[in-house]
Amino acid sequence: MVVNCFKRHGAETIDTPVFELKDTLTGKYGEEGNKLIYDLEDQGGEMLSLRYDLTVPFARYLAMNKITNIKRYQIAKVYRRDNPSMIRGRYREFYQCDFDIAGVYDPMIPEAECLKIVVEILEELKIGDFIIKLNHKKILDGILAVCKVPTDKFRTVCSSIDKLDKASWDDVELEMVNEKKIDTDIVQKIKSYVCPPALDSSTQLLERFQTDEALQKNSDVVDGLKDVHLLFSYCDIFGISKKVVFDPSLARGIDYYTGCIYEAVLLGMSLDSDNRPQICNGEVPGESTSVGSIAGGGRYDKLVGSLSPKHKQVPCIGVSIGIERIFAVMLQRAEAENRKIRSCETDFFVASAQKNLLKERLRLCRELWDAKYKAEISYKANPRLLDQLQYCEDRGIPYALIIGESELQKGVVKLRHISTREEVFHNA
Amino acid sequence: MVVNCFKRHGAETIDTPVFELKDTLTGKYGEEGNKLIYDLEDQGGEMLSLRYDLTVPFARYLAMNKITNIKRYQIAKVYRRDNPSMIRGRYREFYQCDFDIAGVYDPMIPEAECLKIVVEILEELKIGDFIIKLNHKKILDGILAVCKVPTDKFRTVCSSIDKLDKASWDDVELEMVNEKKIDTDIVQKIKSYVCPPALDSSTQLLERFQTDEALQKNSDVVDGLKDVHLLFSYCDIFGISKKVVFDPSLARGIDYYTGCIYEAVLLGMSLDSDNRPQICNGEVPGESTSVGSIAGGGRYDKLVGSLSPKHKQVPCIGVSIGIERIFAVMLQRAEAENRKIRSCETDFFVASAQKNLLKERLRLCRELWDAKYKAEISYKANPRLLDQLQYCEDRGIPYALIIGESELQKGVVKLRHISTREEVFHNA
């Protein structure tokens, strides 16, 4: 389904190795991330590490092969030397599912397509109500400049703001003042921009920013707002602007973003005390109950250049779908609705009620396979009918085709619907 | 396609981690194989290695989760610390594509399904003429016993016989006599069984073995021949026995096989001096021109027990499709026939001949995406028509939908067939 969506948007897939040179990865993921890179033992040969994400390997691939434009998707595993926790959904090995557009293009058209893809995938998966938070690195940096945050503290302040989806403003404020030694005045000013007192609509918030004298003097903010405006106009055309919310508090941890950043969050789901997703029954209001990000990405125009020997820049934008988190939510929903998720897709099981009909079962099964039906038989020479029907129930196989001596003589098979137990005869 | 075939046969997929405990892998792959295992650096934590194949991790998974029957497929990468050689198709990282049946069943029914799957996949891929060589570990061991090969030399003699698909008998004989110190008499006796002077049909060869007095005194041979006979009768029912050839020289290197073993080889392809597949034009006869194995597998009844703390046995049989080798052959064929293999699947490109039609292009593209068509547009605000059509040609996109002012006024779009340049108007 996800792959079909990527293909529908013209993407090809590329496959990069699970190893990268250790040097390529070092220093790309911030202090915490770098500690989690898995290194291979030095058994002679290059110093290699396992990939930490799919973005840096993609950028390395573009730089190495001098590719200046491509639209690619990749679904593959990444590795983090973390303390695994099943309950909190933290694994050492997990899938990432990325779509990226590389090339020099006119502003916001690729951005709009990335957002459209997120909406198409999440709607098709019927995963529940969601919104996409949208911000712009230049707006965020501009706000910090306007608030007079010292330039060398931009990153650390951003990483505090990044915690706002999980922590309250008061906690974040405390961290900024006490740990990061930011003046209280500055922190209050930041709050007035990233946590406006009234929860305005995107349009109102954008308008407020556009009429804010201090912000209008900062060219980064002006550029960023212009981009966001244009992007919203394209989202209108794509029929997705109701799903997109301008959120100046969205920061995203990673350093390499240079333009628009975005993150999709599910509404109406909360986390229980073990941080597992729980379905709410509507009594908890909107955004505060979000299960966390299920997709996210942004523009990174300088990463390819930093990996290229001649520093040739290739502007890129991408989005990563949090496929394992989405599956966890879907499983949760299926359990809540008492639906079983089948592990096989078999439609027909060829059974027999009598002994010595192995060859007839094999023959019928062959006909089904050759006609491209999904079919199974028991591997026992003389299985009991009850065992065969039980197998169908356990595996959710909808139909059994039952043959016996009398059916064979008449040239028919008995078709049994497993759940209703209805039976009809068909010509063989 | 391959996945569809696995699903048609009722298999579910499981995912095992790319790491295994170093101890699980050690000593499974013979002297040469063990040297090629990739170990992770000791950064604190368990000693881990990257998987070398998918079979041992699958067996470890069954043993650990106490699973006694399952039908699973898995397509994933495996790792070998080999000297990579692009030309010879040797990589450090490559895909394996496995189907396995675990469980206690009646003889040869799962075997027949594995062979049927190989035939279905290779025929559907239209990769060319092929045969599946079939042998039985017990027949091979029985022959060695009958020829009086010392028991402690069974393995090393098997590994010599295994080279017969690439080397001539004389070379193999030389190796056995000089390097492995096997008596010349014994070697000649082996030859009479595994390389019979006349190339008999499977039926003739089986008959000869069944009337050979020395062989008939060996219970392993008798058991093995009974299995092969039964398997051929099921292959008849599945309509694949013409593709299966009994070949007593098939040995397969790996130690864990215990019953039937098989290997599919392409006919009518040879290797050039760089070992790359080359299409022959029929002048080189049959088997001697094979490109090497493109699928293979066998029964391994003792592997799960060896990985289980209580040594509980779970009989298994599997087959591995050599998907990368198959792709190499298909690419070769496509090149020979001057066909391009497309990297994207886009059907429609939305283009415009005039300026300032970006929004109209976006709108039309949205309609196509929402109706689940595969469509693309240029990310430029005002692209040149020639560039847009060139893009379609380069990427093999069959149709362009062209809009202009006059079309918009009439409410139509122009549909252009890229290769024939035919144009028709359609209602928008």
Side-chain angles (χ1 to χ4, degrees), chain A residues 81-343:
Chain A
R81 212 166 51 79
D82 211 341
N83 284 325
S85 158
M86 294 287 263
I87 290 171
R88 295 171 57 213
R90 277 160 77 117
Y91 304 100
R92 287 179 174 174
E93 169 178 79
F94 56 94
Y95 276 102
Q96 283 198 343
C97 187
D98 284 21
F99 173 91
D100 292 85
I101 301 172
V104 179
Y105 299 119
D106 283 311
M108 300 303 119
I109 311 179
E111 274 81 350
E113 183 163 18
C114 285
L115 297 181
K116 171 81 170 132
I117 284 173
V118 173
V119 173
E120 283 182 18
I121 289 175
L122 296 182
E123 286 190 340
E124 216 172 318
L125 286 173
K126 297 192 175 58
I127 189 179
D129 207 14
F130 64 91
I131 52 159
I132 304 174
K133 298 180 184 180
L134 173 72
N135 198 6
H136 197 296
K137 208 76 185 171
K138 283 189 171 178
I139 298 179
L140 197 59
D141 283 353
I143 288 175
L144 299 187
V146 165
C147 297
K148 301 209 166 29
V149 174
T151 323
D152 60 335
K153 292 200 169 168
F154 271 27
R155 283 192 181 183
T156 187
V157 169
C158 270
S159 92
S160 293
I161 294 174
D162 196 35
K163 294 175 184 161
L164 273 175
D165 56 337
K166 282 162 203 149
S168 70
W169 172 262
D170 291 344
D171 291 339
V172 171
E173 180 172 329
L174 231 59
E175 184 182 290
M176 286 205 236
V177 175
N178 295 342
E179 282 174 44
K180 305 198 167 167
K181 310 291 176 204
I182 309 290
D183 288 353
T184 327
D185 292 0
I186 294 180
V187 173
Q188 287 312 318
K189 243 181 147 179
I190 297 175
K191 183 182 179 186
S192 74
Y193 288 120
V194 305
C195 287
L199 243 165
D200 293 337
S201 73
S202 298
T203 330
Q204 288 170 314
L205 202 56
L206 282 170
E207 228 164 71
R208 198 193 314 166
F209 276 28
Q210 268 163 331
T211 51
D212 184 297
E213 247 178 77
L215 290 186
Q216 283 305 308
K217 280 181 193 148
N218 182 291
S219 67
D220 274 348
V221 174
V222 172
D223 288 351
L225 287 173
K226 203 177 134 197
D227 278 351
V228 170
H229 242 280
L230 184 61
L231 179 52
F232 264 105
S233 76
Y234 294 153
C235 286
D236 271 340
I237 297 178
F238 283 163
I240 58 169
S241 48
K242 274 190 190 151
K243 291 285 178 198
V244 183
V245 176
F246 173 58
D247 181 347
S249 79
L250 178 70
R252 287 187 70 77
I254 307 160
D255 294 329
Y256 50 63
Y257 290 121
T258 55
C260 281
I261 48 179
Y262 33 82
E263 220 171 79
V265 292
L266 268 190
L267 305 176
M269 293 286 282
S270 66
L271 297 176
D272 68 9
S273 55
D274 286 328
N275 244 358
R276 282 178 297 206
Q278 289 291 317
I279 298 163
C280 307
N281 294 317
E283 68 265 28
V284 203
E287 211 176 322
S288 62
T289 65
S290 91
V291 70
S293 147
I294 48 167
R299 177 163 284 286
Y300 50 102
D301 283 349
K302 307 227 161 115
L303 186 59
V304 177
S306 77
L307 294 164
S308 136
K310 290 185 179 167
H311 305 290
K312 194 170 165 359
Q313 298 295 356
V314 179
C316 292
I317 180 161
V319 62
S320 187
I321 311 290
I323 203 70
E324 297 200 46
R325 192 161 237 175
I326 289 174
F327 281 154
V329 172
M330 288 171 72
L331 208 65
Q332 189 78 23
R333 270 187 212 283
E335 271 174 32
E337 291 164 21
N338 224 341
R339 275 187 290 119
K340 253 192 193 172
I341 290 188
R342 289 184 65 190
S343 60

Side-chain angles (χ1 to χ4, degrees), chain B residues 227-349:
Chain B
D227 278 351
V228 170
H229 243 281
L230 185 60
L231 179 51
F232 264 105
S233 76
Y234 295 153
C235 287
D236 270 340
I237 297 179
F238 283 164
I240 58 169
S241 47
K242 275 190 190 152
K243 291 285 178 198
V244 183
V245 175
F246 174 58
D247 180 348
S249 77
L250 178 69
R252 288 188 69 77
I254 306 159
D255 294 330
Y256 51 62
Y257 291 121
T258 55
C260 280
I261 47 179
Y262 32 82
E263 221 169 79
V265 292
L266 267 191
L267 305 176
M269 295 285 283
S270 66
L271 297 176
D272 67 9
S273 53
D274 287 328
N275 243 358
R276 282 177 296 205
Q278 288 291 318
I279 300 163
C280 307
N281 293 317
E283 67 265 28
V284 203
E287 212 174 322
S288 61
T289 65
S290 89
V291 70
S293 147
I294 48 168
R299 176 163 285 285
Y300 51 101
D301 283 350
K302 306 225 161 117
L303 187 59
V304 177
S306 76
L307 294 165
S308 137
K310 290 184 179 165
H311 304 289
K312 196 173 164 354
Q313 297 295 357
V314 178
C316 293
I317 180 163
V319 61
S320 187
I321 310 290
I323 202 70
E324 297 198 47
R325 193 161 237 175
I326 290 175
F327 282 153
V329 172
M330 289 172 71
L331 207 65
Q332 188 78 23
R333 268 186 213 285
E335 269 173 33
E337 292 165 21
N338 224 339
R339 276 186 291 119
K340 254 192 193 173
I341 290 188
R342 289 185 63 189
S343 60
C344 76
E345 298 182 3
T346 311
D347 294 316
F348 297 102
F349 188 90

Side-chain angles (χ1 to χ4, degrees), chain B residues 135-174:
Chain B
N135 198 6
H136 197 296
K137 207 78 186 171
K138 283 189 171 178
I139 298 179
L140 197 58
D141 283 353
I143 288 176
L144 298 187
V146 166
C147 296
K148 301 208 167 27
V149 174
T151 322
D152 60 335
K153 292 201 170 168
F154 271 27
R155 283 193 183 183
T156 188
V157 169
C158 270
S159 91
S160 292
I161 294 175
D162 197 35
K163 292 175 185 161
L164 274 175
D165 56 336
K166 279 161 203 147
S168 70
W169 172 262
D170 291 344
D171 292 338
V172 170
E173 181 173 327
L174 232 58

Side-chain angles (χ1 to χ4, degrees), chain A residues 46-86:
Chain A
E46 303 87 355
M47 289 305 298
L48 300 172
S49 303
L50 297 181
R51 62 183 165 217
Y52 181 90
D53 68 359
L54 300 179
T55 310
V56 172
F58 172 61
R60 192 265 313 148
Y61 174 89
L62 296 187
M64 211 172 94
N65 296 292
K66 301 196 178 66
I67 293 169
T68 53
N69 53 70
I70 189 173
K71 222 181 315 181
R72 86 88 174 74
Y73 71 91
Q74 187 174 9
I75 298 181
K77 286 183 172 175
V78 301
Y79 300 89
R80 302 198 181 168
R81 212 166 51 79
D82 211 341
N83 284 325
S85 158
M86 294 287 263

Side-chain angles (χ1 to χ4, degrees), chain B residues 22-65:
Chain B
K22 192 173 170 167
D23 285 347
T24 305
L25 303 189
T26 309
K28 296 289 187 304
Y29 302 107
E31 213 173 277
E32 285 305 306
N34 286 330
K35 278 190 230 156
L36 301 182
I37 296 175
Y38 258 116
D39 297 325
L40 288 190
E41 195 177 280
D42 186 358
Q43 296 170 289
E46 304 88 353
M47 289 305 297
L48 300 171
S49 303
L50 297 181
R51 63 182 164 217
Y52 181 90
D53 68 0
L54 300 178
T55 309
V56 172
F58 171 62
R60 193 263 313 149
Y61 173 89
L62 296 186
M64 210 172 97
N65 296 293

